[in-house]
Amino acid sequence: MFALYQIIMMLIQAFVWALLAYCVMSMMLGFGVLDIRNRFFYSVFNTLARIVEPVMTPIRNIMPNTGAMDFTPMIVLLLIQFLVRPAVTRIFFMLASHNSF
């Protein structure tokens, strides 16, 4: 049971790192440091976008348009930190204390 909890928490942490890498790469793309025509950069950026965008799109639809600044990654990180992690922890500790397994 504890192993499943650790796997889920590691997947959440991997998603957080993917989100941060996506944000850094999109900033580098915006400032012209990296070029989208580079095949390696394009493949990494496209992979990160496929991982991160399905979570960010519904939140981006709810958020008001703020111009060039996108606060969606910050909202996703805050939701993960203050809602998802505590909820997963609470669910697993409730299941562990229930002794149904």
Side-chain angles (χ1 to χ4, degrees):
M1 182 68 146
F2 186 67
L4 180 63
Y5 171 75
Q6 286 183 325
I7 290 170
I8 290 174
M9 293 306 273
M10 283 193 299
L11 288 173
I12 292 171
Q13 189 64 34
F15 179 80
V16 168
W17 282 110
L19 178 64
L20 292 173
Y22 177 75
C23 291
V24 169
M25 290 180 91
S26 68
M27 282 183 8
M28 290 179 150
L29 177 66
F31 286 119
V33 175
L34 295 174
D35 191 12
I36 199 74
R37 292 174 292 191
N38 183 346
R39 293 183 133 243
F40 176 73
F41 171 71
Y42 176 76
S43 65
V44 171
F45 188 75
N46 192 26
T47 303
L48 289 174
R50 288 176 184 231
I51 293 170
V52 170
E53 284 297 328
V55 175
M56 290 187 4
T57 302
I59 297 172
R60 200 173 274 143
N61 291 336
I62 295 170
M63 297 273 300
N65 190 5
T66 57
M69 195 66 159
D70 186 16
F71 293 107
T72 308
M74 183 177 64
I75 300 297
V76 170
L77 288 174
L78 288 172
L79 286 173
I80 289 171
Q81 183 70 29
F82 293 114
L83 290 179
V84 174
R85 284 184 180 169
V88 168
T89 302
R90 186 170 184 134
I91 288 169
F92 271 95
F93 283 128
M94 285 173 51
L95 288 174
S97 66
H98 186 41
N99 293 328
S100 64
F101 290 102

